Amino acid sequence: MCLKLHMSYFHTNTSPSAPSTELSALIEKLQRNADKVEKNIYDVEQNLNKDVSKINEGKQPLYQDDTNKRILNSLELLISLDEDADNAKRLQHPQAEMIEQE
């Protein structure tokens, strides 16, 4: 997964011009949400593999609802991550441009 590598951008020193507690909280939220998306992606992949096996055996898939929920949750988290990246830029995080691109 690429999220861990890219999310390392969040572990840098904050700019003196940004309110450090607000920026720190934002960075923690970014990391937490990125971790959730990464876990969802992993779990969805595992569930899809299990369901493909079931389908190949002529059985009904077991994880369709859970997979759908995880995908929807990830989409919501990605929207939040995008908004938070904009906020990091506003708060003048030293690597805000790279965060926003990721």
Side-chain angles (χ1 to χ4, degrees), residues 6-99:
H6 298 306
M7 298 318 272
S8 66
Y9 295 133
F10 301 140
H11 296 292
T12 60
N13 293 330
T14 59
S15 168
S17 63
S20 63
T21 55
E22 185 178 358
L23 186 54
S24 294
L26 179 62
I27 299 308
E28 286 177 24
K29 180 182 174 192
L30 280 161
Q31 184 63 55
R32 191 172 50 251
N33 285 343
D35 289 345
K36 287 178 187 176
V37 170
E38 184 177 28
K39 183 176 181 340
N40 280 343
I41 291 169
Y42 176 81
D43 290 344
V44 164
E45 186 176 25
Q46 297 299 309
N47 288 348
L48 288 173
N49 287 333
K50 291 174 189 174
D51 277 348
V52 165
S53 293
K54 291 289 182 188
I55 291 168
N56 288 338
E57 294 171 2
K59 299 178 182 176
Q60 291 294 316
L62 299 175
Y63 299 99
Q64 202 168 14
D65 289 338
D66 183 65
T67 297
N68 289 337
K69 287 177 189 175
R70 288 179 189 278
I71 291 170
L72 289 173
N73 178 252
S74 292
L75 290 173
E76 292 169 2
L77 289 169
L78 288 170
I79 290 168
S80 177
L81 282 165
D82 190 46
E83 293 168 356
D84 290 340
D86 288 341
N87 286 335
K89 186 175 180 179
R90 180 184 56 80
L91 293 172
Q92 299 176 355
H93 186 282
Q95 293 180 321
E97 293 294 325
M98 288 191 295
I99 291 169

